[in-house]
Amino acid sequence: KNHASFEEIAEAMGKLMDEGKIRSWGMCNDNAYGLAASCAAAKALGCAPPAAMQNDFSLIDRRAEENGVSEASSAIHENVGFMAYNALAGGMLTGKYFDGLPPVTDDPQEARARQTLRTPRGRMDTVGWGRTLYRYRTAAAVRAAQDYKKLADEYGMSLLEMSIRWCQSRPLVTSTLLGHSNEQQLKECLKAAEARKPLPSSLMWEIDRIHMRNRLPIFASERVGKDWDGEGEIGERIP
């Protein structure tokens, strides 16, 4: 209700480009239909189509490779660059939340939670982001991340390095948006992102094997209320 149409958005973006206020425009958190429809509307109006699509993408969220976004954004179709955000799954794929205290919003002990708030490990240890990022620490997501951690250990690299290098290697991904909570993590992210040697094919296959056993963990939950009225734990609609 009251949402702008694809045509209205394309026309507004085209006007801003004509006025020299922006060089290009992009989309975020949309699907293959939204991307294709946006491009079609822009072309029909004689406007520039979106130049980039920014979506959640990581080892534990590969939806963009399975829901048509990869094909729609490819160079032979709409030719829209794909920007992967949360490649470290809100910090879960650094391993820093595996041990020690639970994130703030999961901790039943208020005094301990307040102490964590004073010395947060990252966004999971804040109230606002802690709730928003719950999808990365469902029981299924934690199991998947821990399985990936064991695999990274076997291949002599950190989970962070493996996560970034895997993301960089995907044909879908044009650019990986790096996130960090401290200077040391930034250095590790940059080092992983600058690596040119591909991950071993045997490692890539083992990653896929874990994925096939736990395909979309961020939307899985062992806490399902009878009165949730068609919604999952993080508010997504259940079709």
Side-chain angles (χ1 to χ4, degrees):
K1 184 180 179 181
N2 297 327
H3 291 174
S5 67
F6 293 116
E7 290 77 12
E8 288 173 322
I9 294 170
E11 187 174 28
M13 294 299 104
K15 182 178 179 181
L16 290 173
M17 290 181 68
D18 290 342
E19 293 172 351
K21 294 179 178 178
I22 61 173
R23 293 183 179 180
S24 59
W25 64 284
M27 306 168 63
C28 183
N29 291 340
D30 213 327
N31 53 33
Y33 174 78
L35 176 59
S38 294
C39 290
K43 292 172 184 176
L45 293 169
C47 303
M53 165 77 98
Q54 176 182 299
N55 273 26
D56 197 338
F57 187 73
S58 70
L59 281 170
I60 61 174
D61 183 4
R62 294 169 64 165
R63 285 175 298 167
E65 291 185 328
E66 301 185 349
N67 64 7
V69 167
S70 179
E71 291 83 356
S73 64
S74 69
I76 62 172
H77 290 124
E78 302 300 348
N79 194 27
V80 175
F82 184 87
M83 302 168 69
Y85 77 79
N86 270 335
L88 294 177
M92 187 58 68
L93 292 175
T94 66
K96 63 186 176 185
Y97 297 108
F98 291 166
D99 302 311
L101 301 179
V104 169
T105 56
D106 298 348
D107 198 335
Q109 297 185 26
E110 183 178 348
R112 189 172 64 181
R114 290 184 180 279
Q115 177 60 37
T116 304
L117 273 174
R118 287 192 285 270
T119 55
R121 290 162 290 187
R123 290 187 297 168
M124 291 281 191
D125 285 337
T126 62
V127 175
W129 277 112
R131 293 193 179 98
T132 300
L133 297 175
Y134 173 75
R135 63 188 183 274
Y136 300 124
R137 59 179 193 275
T138 65
V142 171
R143 282 196 299 271
Q146 290 175 335
D147 286 344
Y148 287 126
K149 173 66 166 61
K150 293 176 184 176
L151 190 56
D153 289 343
E154 290 176 15
Y155 278 80
M157 66 182 72
S158 69
L159 176 57
L160 181 153
E161 178 185 352
M162 187 177 83
S163 300
I164 296 294
R165 290 177 63 184
W166 175 86
C167 194
Q168 294 276 87
S169 74
R170 309 308 289 175
L172 159 70
V173 175
T174 307
S175 178
T176 302
L177 304 179
L178 301 179
H180 56 279
S181 55
N182 55 64
E183 185 177 351
Q184 180 57 38
Q185 188 175 320
L186 172 60
K187 291 178 180 178
E188 291 180 40
C189 285
L190 291 173
K191 181 179 178 182
E194 291 168 356
R196 293 293 176 262
K197 187 177 180 180
L199 293 173
S201 58
S202 58
L203 173 55
M204 295 295 283
W205 172 234
E206 293 301 323
I207 288 173
D208 284 345
R209 290 183 66 214
I210 292 173
H211 170 64
M212 287 187 286
R213 289 193 292 266
N214 194 352
R215 205 168 187 96
L216 190 54
I218 70 165
F219 283 125
S221 177
E222 296 178 0
R223 304 187 303 197
V224 183
K226 289 185 178 181
D227 58 345
W228 287 7
D229 193 23
E231 288 190 352
E233 178 128 36
I234 64 172
E236 78 281 9
R237 290 182 56 207
I238 305 300

